[in-house]
Amino acid sequence: MSSEPDESTALKPRQETILRLVVEGYIDHGVPVGSKQIAGRQGVDFASSTVRYELARLEEMGYLDHPHTSAGRVPTDRGYRYYADQLLAREAPGEPPAGLTDALAVGQMRREVDAALESLAEMVSQVTNLLGIVTAPPPQSSTVRHIEVLLLQPQVVMVVVITSTGAVTKRVFAFEQPVDRGLAEWAGAFLNERLVGLTVGARMIASRLTDPSLGAVELGFLAVIAPALTDLDEEAGGIFVGGRARFLSEQRHLDLIAIDALMETLEERYELLDMLRGALSRNQVYLRIGAELPDRNLAGLSMVAANYGIPRQNLGTVSLFGPTRMDYRLAMATVRGAAQILSRYVEEVFE
């Protein structure tokens, strides 16, 4: 998140109190907040005239907006940003929602990372009613665990590669001539002997696929199926989306342009990974509000993300997308808690 505001943008305590009440009131009820709603709050000793003056000042400073159909105010992107970066940052980090820890404690989570990420994406969406997105570790962060070379048909071979993260890739190759079953079995044994334990990476793996003692038939077969192994590090990391239908149902009030833009971004996973790259570069909650998102069509939406990983290496992100009128306290606590839980899980997987 952003740094401390300078003197020209920092708000006075009274202005901060009023901004907080407007933001939280609008998040809770979805209607503009007026001076009467603030002045009448318990613990607020400002006169209505004082509140009206400060509301006008906050609007002039760009923290609030004044819809022409209402006497109340709503937060702007800048108002949400100040609320998240300055006001919530002074609070103790919120506890993750109940049930989040249990999502990674069930037995199925020990099978493979992909199952854990898919379940967690659904869980963070369920506890927030936002769109949950979890990115998988990149293939180059893992090692080769096992390789299968399977003869599906006389001229069709499938190569299955399982990595230390539990990721499974499958590639099918067609040959002009029937493949000897013994050759496929030999290739599987040879590749496991040469490649298991190696970090995924084209250059390192390619150097292990050549052996001067091999005959032309063996070398030719390996050359054909080599892309199943050397292209592993070129694959973009997997993306798991949770609560898509729930999000579309709960957020019907959002601009259709924003919804369409978000759905299109989900389809273009490279664009989404690029959007989340900033979260991978830091070890704190990463927040982008409204116009701060790279696609102008996403204005009206916010993204909250946190990274997970192993010591000295960030592997992926847990993120939530929703309207700028989201519960930032809950969203930040959720991604922070989920990332911490997932980090502990992947540490065990990578051992």
Side-chain angles (χ1 to χ4, degrees):
M1 292 183 285
S2 64
S3 59
E4 291 292 321
D6 58 36
E7 293 183 1
S8 63
T9 59
L11 299 181
K12 299 174 183 177
R14 184 168 65 191
Q15 293 172 329
E16 289 187 338
T17 297
I18 293 174
L19 176 63
R20 177 190 289 273
L21 291 173
V22 173
V23 171
E24 294 180 351
Y26 188 61
I27 288 174
D28 289 342
H29 304 292
V31 295
V33 179
S35 59
K36 292 182 179 180
Q37 295 163 277
I38 296 174
R41 291 285 295 269
Q42 183 177 1
V44 176
D45 57 1
F46 314 140
S48 294
S49 58
T50 300
V51 174
R52 286 195 297 272
Y53 171 78
E54 294 295 6
L55 287 173
R57 285 288 297 131
L58 289 168
E59 184 176 348
E60 291 174 5
M61 299 165 72
Y63 293 99
L64 300 177
D65 194 13
H66 190 176
H68 67 279
T69 57
S70 169
R73 263 75 170 189
V74 299
T76 62
D77 291 352
R78 188 181 189 190
Y80 285 123
R81 168 59 68 183
Y82 193 97
Y83 172 76
D85 282 1
Q86 307 304 327
L87 305 185
L88 291 185
R90 296 171 196 166
E91 302 177 359
E95 291 295 322
L100 196 58
T101 301
D102 294 339
L104 292 181
V106 295
Q108 70 166 1
M109 307 318 294
R110 299 301 172 188
R111 290 207 303 263
E112 61 178 48
V113 170
D114 282 2
L117 305 185
E118 185 174 14
S119 178
L120 189 63
E122 181 61 34
M123 179 57 73
V124 297
S125 171
Q126 183 177 326
V127 299
T128 61
N129 283 329
L130 302 174
L131 191 70
I133 299 176
V134 180
T135 62
Q140 60 268 30
S141 67
S142 59
T143 59
V144 177
R145 177 180 290 172
H146 184 70
I147 301 167
E148 292 278 356
V149 180
L150 306 173
L151 189 60
L152 301 182
Q153 297 177 16
Q155 295 173 233
V156 179
V157 170
M158 181 169 68
V159 179
V160 181
V161 183
I162 304 172
T163 71
S164 60
T165 63
V168 179
T169 62
K170 301 175 182 179
R171 291 283 294 271
V172 176
F173 301 90
F175 290 78
E176 294 182 1
Q177 303 295 328
V179 176
D180 182 84
R181 185 172 298 276
L183 179 62
E185 293 175 354
W186 166 85
F190 175 83
L191 293 172
N192 277 291
E193 179 182 342
R194 288 297 186 93
L195 303 183
V196 167
L198 286 184
T199 300
V200 172
R203 184 174 302 176
M204 181 176 294
I205 287 180
S207 67
R208 296 293 189 94
L209 295 180
T210 58
D211 187 330
S213 67
L214 297 179
V217 174
E218 289 82 3
L219 288 173
F221 184 75
L222 292 177
V224 173
I225 66 172
L229 303 153
T230 57
D231 291 353
L232 285 173
D233 63 337
E234 296 177 5
E235 296 290 331
I239 295 175
F240 300 88
V241 180
R244 192 190 303 247
R246 182 187 306 108
F247 175 79
L248 292 175
S249 175
E250 292 288 336
Q251 309 300 339
R252 289 190 297 269
H253 61 281
L254 284 175
D255 191 306
L256 287 178
I257 294 178
I259 291 291
D260 289 343
L262 180 57
M263 294 301 111
E264 185 175 332
T265 299
L266 294 181
E267 296 300 323
E268 298 293 334
R269 61 177 183 169
Y270 290 98
E271 291 184 11
L272 181 58
L273 288 169
D274 186 60
M275 190 184 303
L276 293 168
R277 188 166 294 131
L280 274 175
S281 65
R282 60 189 68 198
N283 293 312
Q284 59 182 348
V285 173
Y286 179 77
L287 177 62
R288 286 293 176 266
I289 298 173
E292 296 172 355
L293 291 169
D295 186 343
R296 60 183 299 179
N297 290 325
L298 294 175
L301 298 177
S302 289
M303 176 187 76
V304 183
N307 67 63
Y308 69 89
I310 56 178
R312 296 180 297 280
Q313 186 179 8
N314 294 331
L315 297 176
T317 60
V318 180
S319 61
L320 289 164
F321 280 80
T324 53
R325 192 179 66 84
M326 70 165 63
D327 185 337
Y328 290 95
R329 183 184 288 105
L330 174 62
M332 292 162 66
T334 299
V335 298
R336 184 188 294 112
Q340 291 171 349
I341 294 167
L342 192 51
S343 292
R344 291 194 292 270
Y345 168 70
V346 296
E347 277 191 61
E348 294 182 13
V349 173
F350 273 69
E351 285 181 350

mmCIF file with all atom_site columns, all heavy atoms in Angstrom, residues 170-181:
data_model
loop_
_atom_site.group_PDB
_atom_site.id
_atom_site.type_symbol
_atom_site.label_atom_id
_atom_site.label_alt_id
_atom_site.label_comp_id
_atom_site.label_asym_id
_atom_site.label_entity_id
_atom_site.label_seq_id
_atom_site.pdbx_PDB_ins_code
_atom_site.Cartn_x
_atom_site.Cartn_y
_atom_site.Cartn_z
_atom_site.occupancy
_atom_site.B_iso_or_equiv
_atom_site.pdbx_formal_charge
_atom_site.auth_seq_id
_atom_site.auth_comp_id
_atom_site.auth_asym_id
_atom_site.auth_atom_id
_atom_site.pdbx_PDB_model_num
ATOM 1   N N   . LYS A 1 170 ? 0.367  -32.798 -19.244 1.00 0.00 ? 170 LYS A N   1
ATOM 2   C CA  . LYS A 1 170 ? 0.240  -33.917 -20.184 1.00 0.00 ? 170 LYS A CA  1
ATOM 3   C C   . LYS A 1 170 ? 0.399  -33.400 -21.600 1.00 0.00 ? 170 LYS A C   1
ATOM 4   O O   . LYS A 1 170 ? -0.201 -32.392 -21.971 1.00 0.00 ? 170 LYS A O   1
ATOM 5   C CB  . LYS A 1 170 ? -1.132 -34.593 -20.027 1.00 0.00 ? 170 LYS A CB  1
ATOM 6   C CG  . LYS A 1 170 ? -1.407 -35.140 -18.633 1.00 0.00 ? 170 LYS A CG  1
ATOM 7   C CD  . LYS A 1 170 ? -2.815 -35.689 -18.520 1.00 0.00 ? 170 LYS A CD  1
ATOM 8   C CE  . LYS A 1 170 ? -3.106 -36.190 -17.106 1.00 0.00 ? 170 LYS A CE  1
ATOM 9   N NZ  . LYS A 1 170 ? -4.482 -36.707 -16.973 1.00 0.00 ? 170 LYS A NZ  1
ATOM 10  N N   . ARG A 1 171 ? 1.213  -34.085 -22.377 1.00 0.00 ? 171 ARG A N   1
ATOM 11  C CA  . ARG A 1 171 ? 1.393  -33.730 -23.796 1.00 0.00 ? 171 ARG A CA  1
ATOM 12  C C   . ARG A 1 171 ? 1.257  -34.986 -24.641 1.00 0.00 ? 171 ARG A C   1
ATOM 13  O O   . ARG A 1 171 ? 1.783  -36.051 -24.274 1.00 0.00 ? 171 ARG A O   1
ATOM 14  C CB  . ARG A 1 171 ? 2.766  -33.099 -24.024 1.00 0.00 ? 171 ARG A CB  1
ATOM 15  C CG  . ARG A 1 171 ? 2.955  -31.729 -23.404 1.00 0.00 ? 171 ARG A CG  1
ATOM 16  C CD  . ARG A 1 171 ? 2.280  -30.637 -24.217 1.00 0.00 ? 171 ARG A CD  1
ATOM 17  N NE  . ARG A 1 171 ? 2.886  -30.452 -25.500 1.00 0.00 ? 171 ARG A NE  1
ATOM 18  C CZ  . ARG A 1 171 ? 3.909  -29.618 -25.751 1.00 0.00 ? 171 ARG A CZ  1
ATOM 19  N NH1 . ARG A 1 171 ? 4.417  -28.896 -24.757 1.00 0.00 ? 171 ARG A NH1 1
ATOM 20  N NH2 . ARG A 1 171 ? 4.409  -29.494 -26.956 1.00 0.00 ? 171 ARG A NH2 1
ATOM 21  N N   . VAL A 1 172 ? 0.556  -34.879 -25.747 1.00 0.00 ? 172 VAL A N   1
ATOM 22  C CA  . VAL A 1 172 ? 0.323  -36.017 -26.642 1.00 0.00 ? 172 VAL A CA  1
ATOM 23  C C   . VAL A 1 172 ? 1.095  -35.781 -27.941 1.00 0.00 ? 172 VAL A C   1
ATOM 24  O O   . VAL A 1 172 ? 1.073  -34.672 -28.496 1.00 0.00 ? 172 VAL A O   1
ATOM 25  C CB  . VAL A 1 172 ? -1.178 -36.196 -26.926 1.00 0.00 ? 172 VAL A CB  1
ATOM 26  C CG1 . VAL A 1 172 ? -1.394 -37.322 -27.939 1.00 0.00 ? 172 VAL A CG1 1
ATOM 27  C CG2 . VAL A 1 172 ? -1.928 -36.505 -25.636 1.00 0.00 ? 172 VAL A CG2 1
ATOM 28  N N   . PHE A 1 173 ? 1.773  -36.834 -28.420 1.00 0.00 ? 173 PHE A N   1
ATOM 29  C CA  . PHE A 1 173 ? 2.582  -36.745 -29.636 1.00 0.00 ? 173 PHE A CA  1
ATOM 30  C C   . PHE A 1 173 ? 2.161  -37.842 -30.604 1.00 0.00 ? 173 PHE A C   1
ATOM 31  O O   . PHE A 1 173 ? 1.974  -39.000 -30.207 1.00 0.00 ? 173 PHE A O   1
ATOM 32  C CB  . PHE A 1 173 ? 4.073  -36.895 -29.313 1.00 0.00 ? 173 PHE A CB  1
ATOM 33  C CG  . PHE A 1 173 ? 4.589  -35.852 -28.364 1.00 0.00 ? 173 PHE A CG  1
ATOM 34  C CD1 . PHE A 1 173 ? 4.551  -36.074 -26.991 1.00 0.00 ? 173 PHE A CD1 1
ATOM 35  C CD2 . PHE A 1 173 ? 5.098  -34.658 -28.842 1.00 0.00 ? 173 PHE A CD2 1
ATOM 36  C CE1 . PHE A 1 173 ? 5.019  -35.100 -26.109 1.00 0.00 ? 173 PHE A CE1 1
ATOM 37  C CE2 . PHE A 1 173 ? 5.560  -33.690 -27.967 1.00 0.00 ? 173 PHE A CE2 1
ATOM 38  C CZ  . PHE A 1 173 ? 5.519  -33.913 -26.601 1.00 0.00 ? 173 PHE A CZ  1
ATOM 39  N N   . ALA A 1 174 ? 2.002  -37.465 -31.879 1.00 0.00 ? 174 ALA A N   1
ATOM 40  C CA  . ALA A 1 174 ? 1.657  -38.417 -32.933 1.00 0.00 ? 174 ALA A CA  1
ATOM 41  C C   . ALA A 1 174 ? 2.899  -38.716 -33.768 1.00 0.00 ? 174 ALA A C   1
ATOM 42  O O   . ALA A 1 174 ? 3.642  -37.800 -34.154 1.00 0.00 ? 174 ALA A O   1
ATOM 43  C CB  . ALA A 1 174 ? 0.547  -37.852 -33.813 1.00 0.00 ? 174 ALA A CB  1
ATOM 44  N N   . PHE A 1 175 ? 3.140  -39.979 -34.048 1.00 0.00 ? 175 PHE A N   1
ATOM 45  C CA  . PHE A 1 175 ? 4.286  -40.419 -34.833 1.00 0.00 ? 175 PHE A CA  1
ATOM 46  C C   . PHE A 1 175 ? 3.807  -40.948 -36.186 1.00 0.00 ? 175 PHE A C   1
ATOM 47  O O   . PHE A 1 175 ? 2.680  -41.433 -36.316 1.00 0.00 ? 175 PHE A O   1
ATOM 48  C CB  . PHE A 1 175 ? 5.056  -41.513 -34.094 1.00 0.00 ? 175 PHE A CB  1
ATOM 49  C CG  . PHE A 1 175 ? 5.795  -41.023 -32.874 1.00 0.00 ? 175 PHE A CG  1
ATOM 50  C CD1 . PHE A 1 175 ? 5.118  -40.776 -31.688 1.00 0.00 ? 175 PHE A CD1 1
ATOM 51  C CD2 . PHE A 1 175 ? 7.166  -40.803 -32.928 1.00 0.00 ? 175 PHE A CD2 1
ATOM 52  C CE1 . PHE A 1 175 ? 5.796  -40.310 -30.566 1.00 0.00 ? 175 PHE A CE1 1
ATOM 53  C CE2 . PHE A 1 175 ? 7.851  -40.344 -31.811 1.00 0.00 ? 175 PHE A CE2 1
ATOM 54  C CZ  . PHE A 1 175 ? 7.163  -40.099 -30.628 1.00 0.00 ? 175 PHE A CZ  1
ATOM 55  N N   . GLU A 1 176 ? 4.656  -40.863 -37.172 1.00 0.00 ? 176 GLU A N   1
ATOM 56  C CA  . GLU A 1 176 ? 4.301  -41.344 -38.513 1.00 0.00 ? 176 GLU A CA  1
ATOM 57  C C   . GLU A 1 176 ? 4.266  -42.858 -38.572 1.00 0.00 ? 176 GLU A C   1
ATOM 58  O O   . GLU A 1 176 ? 3.520  -43.447 -39.361 1.00 0.00 ? 176 GLU A O   1
ATOM 59  C CB  . GLU A 1 176 ? 5.290  -40.798 -39.549 1.00 0.00 ? 176 GLU A CB  1
ATOM 60  C CG  . GLU A 1 176 ? 5.228  -39.286 -39.718 1.00 0.00 ? 176 GLU A CG  1
ATOM 61  C CD  . GLU A 1 176 ? 6.186  -38.794 -40.775 1.00 0.00 ? 176 GLU A CD  1
ATOM 62  O OE1 . GLU A 1 176 ? 6.884  -39.654 -41.377 1.00 0.00 ? 176 GLU A OE1 1
ATOM 63  O OE2 . GLU A 1 176 ? 6.236  -37.578 -41.019 1.00 0.00 ? 176 GLU A OE2 1
ATOM 64  N N   . GLN A 1 177 ? 5.097  -43.500 -37.746 1.00 0.00 ? 177 GLN A N   1
ATOM 65  C CA  . GLN A 1 177 ? 5.175  -44.957 -37.710 1.00 0.00 ? 177 GLN A CA  1
ATOM 66  C C   . GLN A 1 177 ? 4.785  -45.458 -36.320 1.00 0.00 ? 177 GLN A C   1
ATOM 67  O O   . GLN A 1 177 ? 4.905  -44.724 -35.336 1.00 0.00 ? 177 GLN A O   1
ATOM 68  C CB  . GLN A 1 177 ? 6.601  -45.426 -38.042 1.00 0.00 ? 177 GLN A CB  1
ATOM 69  C CG  . GLN A 1 177 ? 7.132  -44.956 -39.377 1.00 0.00 ? 177 GLN A CG  1
ATOM 70  C CD  . GLN A 1 177 ? 6.351  -45.536 -40.549 1.00 0.00 ? 177 GLN A CD  1
ATOM 71  O OE1 . GLN A 1 177 ? 5.840  -46.664 -40.462 1.00 0.00 ? 177 GLN A OE1 1
ATOM 72  N NE2 . GLN A 1 177 ? 6.216  -44.775 -41.629 1.00 0.00 ? 177 GLN A NE2 1
ATOM 73  N N   . PRO A 1 178 ? 4.310  -46.707 -36.218 1.00 0.00 ? 178 PRO A N   1
ATOM 74  C CA  . PRO A 1 178 ? 3.996  -47.264 -34.902 1.00 0.00 ? 178 PRO A CA  1
ATOM 75  C C   . PRO A 1 178 ? 5.221  -47.236 -33.984 1.00 0.00 ? 178 PRO A C   1
ATOM 76  O O   . PRO A 1 178 ? 6.352  -47.426 -34.438 1.00 0.00 ? 178 PRO A O   1
ATOM 77  C CB  . PRO A 1 178 ? 3.568  -48.708 -35.222 1.00 0.00 ? 178 PRO A CB  1
ATOM 78  C CG  . PRO A 1 178 ? 3.070  -48.642 -36.636 1.00 0.00 ? 178 PRO A CG  1
ATOM 79  C CD  . PRO A 1 178 ? 3.943  -47.634 -37.320 1.00 0.00 ? 178 PRO A CD  1
ATOM 80  N N   . VAL A 1 179 ? 4.960  -46.983 -32.702 1.00 0.00 ? 179 VAL A N   1
ATOM 81  C CA  . VAL A 1 179 ? 6.031  -46.901 -31.711 1.00 0.00 ? 179 VAL A CA  1
ATOM 82  C C   . VAL A 1 179 ? 6.118  -48.223 -30.961 1.00 0.00 ? 179 VAL A C   1
ATOM 83  O O   . VAL A 1 179 ? 5.089  -48.759 -30.503 1.00 0.00 ? 179 VAL A O   1
ATOM 84  C CB  . VAL A 1 179 ? 5.757  -45.749 -30.709 1.00 0.00 ? 179 VAL A CB  1
ATOM 85  C CG1 . VAL A 1 179 ? 6.812  -45.726 -29.611 1.00 0.00 ? 179 VAL A CG1 1
ATOM 86  C CG2 . VAL A 1 179 ? 5.705  -44.413 -31.445 1.00 0.00 ? 179 VAL A CG2 1
ATOM 87  N N   . ASP A 1 180 ? 7.305  -48.733 -30.825 1.00 0.00 ? 180 ASP A N   1
ATOM 88  C CA  . ASP A 1 180 ? 7.513  -49.969 -30.084 1.00 0.00 ? 180 ASP A CA  1
ATOM 89  C C   . ASP A 1 180 ? 7.224  -49.735 -28.597 1.00 0.00 ? 180 ASP A C   1
ATOM 90  O O   . ASP A 1 180 ? 7.726  -48.770 -28.010 1.00 0.00 ? 180 ASP A O   1
ATOM 91  C CB  . ASP A 1 180 ? 8.948  -50.459 -30.271 1.00 0.00 ? 180 ASP A CB  1
ATOM 92  C CG  . ASP A 1 180 ? 9.190  -51.775 -29.552 1.00 0.00 ? 180 ASP A CG  1
ATOM 93  O OD1 . ASP A 1 180 ? 8.865  -52.826 -30.128 1.00 0.00 ? 180 ASP A OD1 1
ATOM 94  O OD2 . ASP A 1 180 ? 9.695  -51.734 -28.413 1.00 0.00 ? 180 ASP A OD2 1
ATOM 95  N N   . ARG A 1 181 ? 6.421  -50.602 -27.994 1.00 0.00 ? 181 ARG A N   1
ATOM 96  C CA  . ARG A 1 181 ? 6.067  -50.430 -26.584 1.00 0.00 ? 181 ARG A CA  1
ATOM 97  C C   . ARG A 1 181 ? 7.311  -50.460 -25.700 1.00 0.00 ? 181 ARG A C   1
ATOM 98  O O   . ARG A 1 181 ? 7.414  -49.732 -24.708 1.00 0.00 ? 181 ARG A O   1
ATOM 99  C CB  . ARG A 1 181 ? 5.089  -51.517 -26.149 1.00 0.00 ? 181 ARG A CB  1
ATOM 100 C CG  . ARG A 1 181 ? 4.576  -51.351 -24.724 1.00 0.00 ? 181 ARG A CG  1
ATOM 101 C CD  . ARG A 1 181 ? 3.460  -52.331 -24.421 1.00 0.00 ? 181 ARG A CD  1
ATOM 102 N NE  . ARG A 1 181 ? 2.315  -52.114 -25.285 1.00 0.00 ? 181 ARG A NE  1
ATOM 103 C CZ  . ARG A 1 181 ? 1.366  -51.217 -25.059 1.00 0.00 ? 181 ARG A CZ  1
ATOM 104 N NH1 . ARG A 1 181 ? 1.436  -50.438 -23.980 1.00 0.00 ? 181 ARG A NH1 1
ATOM 105 N NH2 . ARG A 1 181 ? 0.345  -51.088 -25.886 1.00 0.00 ? 181 ARG A NH2 1
#
